[in-house]
């Protein structure tokens, strides 16, 4: 087995580091060294413009000429960044014989220390190394971390550094201090820093916590998170972070397995979905579960398909949490109407076809009855130049057609049914209102499916891009006059 490198963060403040080379690469290295408070000495016959400026500002020393072993006399480290491999090797050999760590830029063989790929957030630095053999992999991992670690971590590191003594004084016991930090870092402070607080306010917040009777006691919280329609790429960065920080995830059945796989491995996952034929959790039971775990000091993620505030009962859950004094946050998600439309090639609004959009649910019988029976305002729904997005509608399609036609909608009004929108198994069925329920039955449309009604729905036939092309209504595919195969021979012959 090859030995791995020993990771090390060096304190180079006021220590001499020799950089051999005077070009752009040397300049980059010198810049990093200056940031670390080191005293760079640059050895080279001439200097780049940037190096010259630092020299004039008194920030670096210049050893003019070709490499001389004596340059190493004061050096703690040496970096060779010349374009002459013989010189680079000479520097490396001379340094090694003096037991000074040396780095030849871009030559892993001639390195007794490597510079890692770094993600930096103020004082917080994450260094990544592949051992020198696979720098592209290290860079790839760095890019992934760049998206996960946001700027507020720098402020957080700064605040914690500043408050270190105060925290130690208040919690001299190491065990208690650990628990305090765990609670602090898992709690709202990192999130508050991300959105609302500046460093001074964070200092005050921390002091407030320290003044509490028992600062190390955990405080639970709930984050209401929209998981989007199923494609894991449609999960927001905030949702991803919340899932990474969760102790407990209460998720709907609608949340896809691919999305759940993004969550922290150790998190307890509880499906609280409602679905036909399975045990379903009542809303009261969901409330009780959230409360139970939050009161144990857990970070609870309440994960819902799409957006939590669009036909997701998110409002009720927050009312419950507020009534029980449980702190909460909400992270929006991409709702089914937006996702299904995009993945089916249906612009929800369009200058020629629709100036407004209605999100409607056809969930229960009541919601589909007439306005005077406590249901929907069907005459408003039947208006032209708008788009209807009907959620949970598969079972109520007969009723939707009946009510819309009664209210004056045109029988040839286009529809698109999007089943499993944004998922690999997505299907889109297009047709007109007159044949809507028959079409759905013919193609055995299953939940989850979203119904889009309006002129824009017809655009799916020409603008589709994801998965299979839209399926037609049954009377069209059954009618030979409309069949592509039969139409082909009558096409004009190519000249
Ligand atoms: N809060 C969710 C909606 C919950 S209601 C959101 O914002 O999307 C559940 C209904 O949403 C389903 O019956 C279906 O009509 C629709 N839906 C959710 N995900 C869907 C998907 N991937 N494809 C099609 N419809 C979907």
């Amino acid at each position: 087995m090859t030995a791995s490198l020993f990771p090390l963060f060096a304190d180079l403040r006021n220590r001499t580091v020799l950089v051999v080379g005077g070009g752009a690469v040397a300049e980059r290295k010198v810049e990093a060294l200056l940031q670390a408070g080191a005293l760079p000495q640059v050895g080279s016959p001439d200097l780049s413009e940037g190096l010259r400026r630092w020299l004039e500002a008194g920030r670096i020393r210049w050893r003019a000429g070709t490499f001389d072993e004596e340059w190493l006399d004061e050096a703690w480290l040496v970096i060779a960044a010349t374009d002459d491999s013989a010189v680079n090797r000479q520097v490396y050999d001379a340094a090694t014989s003096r037991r000074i760590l040396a780095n030849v830029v871009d030559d892993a063989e001639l390195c007794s220390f490597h510079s890692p790929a770094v993600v930096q957030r103020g004082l917080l630095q994450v260094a990544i190394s592949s051992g020198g053999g696979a720098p592209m992999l290290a860079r790839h991992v760095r890019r992934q971390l760049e998206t996960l670690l946001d700027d507020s971590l720098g402020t957080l590191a700064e605040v914690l550094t500043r408050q270190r003594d105060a925290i130690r004084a208040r919690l001299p016991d190491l065990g208690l201090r650990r628990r305090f930090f765990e609670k602090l870092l898992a709690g709202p402070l990192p999130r508050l820093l991300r959105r609302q607080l500046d460093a001074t306010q964070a200092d005050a917040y921390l002091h407030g916590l320290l003044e509490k009777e028992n600062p190390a006691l955990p405080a639970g919280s709930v984050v209401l998170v929209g998981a989007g329609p199923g494609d894991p790429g449609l999960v927001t960065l905030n949702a991803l972070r919340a899932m990474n920080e969760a102790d407990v995830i209460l998720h709907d059945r609608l949340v896809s397995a691919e999305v759940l796989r993004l969550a922290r491995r150790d998190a307890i996952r509880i499906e609280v979905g409602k679905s036909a034929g399975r045990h379903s959790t009542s809303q009261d039971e969901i409330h009780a579960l959230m409360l139970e775990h939050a009161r144990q000091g857990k970070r609870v993620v309440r994960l819902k398909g799409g957006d939590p505030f669009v036909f997701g009962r998110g409002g009720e859950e927050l009312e419950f949490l507020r009534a029980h004094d449980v702190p909460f946050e909400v992270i929006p998600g991409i709702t089914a109407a937006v996702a299904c439309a995009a993945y089916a090639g249906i612009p929800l609004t369009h200058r020629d076809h629709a100036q407004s959009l209605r999100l409607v649910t056809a969930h229960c019988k009541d919601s589909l009855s007439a306005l005077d029976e406590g249901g929907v305002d069907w005459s408003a729904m039947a208006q032209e130049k708008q788009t209807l997005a009907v959620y949970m509608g598969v079972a109520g399609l007969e009723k939707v057609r009946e009510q819309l036609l009664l209210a004056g909608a045109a029988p040839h009004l286009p529809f698109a049914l999007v089943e499993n929108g944004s998922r690999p198994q997505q299907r889109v069925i297009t047709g007109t209102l007159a044949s809507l329920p028959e079409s759905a039955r013919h193609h055995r449309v299953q939940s989850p499916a979203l119904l889009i009604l309006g002129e824009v729905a017809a655009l799916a036939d020409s603008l589709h891009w994801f998965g299979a092309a839209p399926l037609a209504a049954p009377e069209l595919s059954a009618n030979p006059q409309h069949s592509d195969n039969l139409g082909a021979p009558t096409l004009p012959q190519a000249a």
Side-chain angles (χ1 to χ4, degrees), residues 226-231 252 254-256 304-314 333-340 359-363 389-394 417-423 426-427 446-451:
D231 177 354
D252 285 351
L254 206 54
V255 177
S256 73
K304 289 167 173 289
D307 179 87
F309 281 176
V310 178
F311 306 127
R313 304 187 75 169
I334 294 185
T335 189
V338 170
C340 290
L359 306 185
V360 197
T361 175
H363 167 51
V390 186
Y391 288 68
M392 295 182 273
V394 187
L417 263 167
V418 185
E419 180 193 74
N420 280 310
S422 86
R423 303 176 184 203
Q426 168 176 306
R427 289 198 305 163
Q446 306 267 328
S447 181
L450 184 99
L451 170 65

Side-chain angles (χ1 to χ4, degrees), residues 109-295:
E109 294 290 305
L110 295 185
C111 280
S112 45
F113 76 92
H114 291 242
S115 352
V118 174
V119 183
Q120 179 150 21
R121 301 290 180 264
L123 293 173
L124 184 82
Q125 299 193 62
V126 183
I128 305 142
S129 158
S130 66
M136 284 302 173
L137 176 64
R139 265 178 239 171
H140 177 71
V141 172
R142 177 183 61 190
R143 270 197 295 275
Q144 290 180 320
L145 290 177
E146 288 280 2
T147 59
L148 278 180
L149 306 179
D150 64 285
D151 288 338
S152 66
L153 285 170
T155 323
L156 185 58
E158 187 194 311
V159 170
L160 292 181
T161 306
R162 205 163 35 230
Q163 302 302 331
R164 188 153 181 243
D165 292 342
I167 296 169
R168 274 176 176 246
R170 176 71 178 86
L171 295 164
D173 179 81
L174 179 64
L176 278 183
R177 203 156 66 233
R178 276 220 182 105
R179 250 189 288 155
F180 171 75
F181 275 115
E182 269 169 27
K183 169 190 162 188
L184 183 75
L185 297 177
L189 181 59
R191 288 193 292 270
L192 287 172
L193 272 173
R194 234 175 266 147
R195 293 179 207 152
Q196 298 158 16
L197 301 189
D198 61 21
T200 329
Q201 291 166 319
D203 282 328
Y205 175 89
L206 235 169
H207 277 291
L209 282 187
L210 289 174
E211 272 162 24
K212 289 206 168 147
E213 197 176 328
N214 189 347
L217 215 64
S221 60
V222 175
V223 194
L224 189 57
V225 179
D231 177 354
L234 296 183
V235 167
T236 66
L237 282 179
N238 283 348
L240 193 60
R241 285 190 193 119
M243 287 196 273
N244 269 319
E245 290 166 0
D247 295 313
V248 179
I249 298 175
L250 302 176
H251 64 91
D252 285 351
R253 224 176 67 80
L254 206 54
V255 177
S256 73
E258 289 77 10
V259 168
L260 279 172
R261 230 169 275 141
L262 300 174
R264 197 177 132 217
R265 272 163 178 268
D266 304 342
I268 301 168
R269 288 142 216 249
I270 305 174
E271 185 183 306
V272 292
K274 291 162 213 153
S275 74
R278 283 221 213 168
H279 169 74
S280 62
T281 321
S282 72
Q283 196 60 39
D284 285 343
E285 285 172 293
I286 295 173
H287 289 173
L289 277 169
M290 288 195 299
L291 190 61
E292 177 194 330
H293 290 286
R295 289 226 161 126

Side-chain angles (χ1 to χ4, degrees), residues 288-323:
L289 277 169
M290 288 195 299
L291 190 61
E292 177 194 330
H293 290 286
R295 289 226 161 126
Q296 287 168 11
K298 302 272 169 56
R299 290 154 294 179
V300 179
V301 161
R302 172 74 180 101
L303 193 60
K304 289 167 173 289
D307 179 87
F309 281 176
V310 178
F311 306 127
R313 304 187 75 169
E316 288 161 61
E317 293 179 10
L318 293 195
E319 280 158 13
F320 175 85
L321 293 172
R322 180 72 18 114

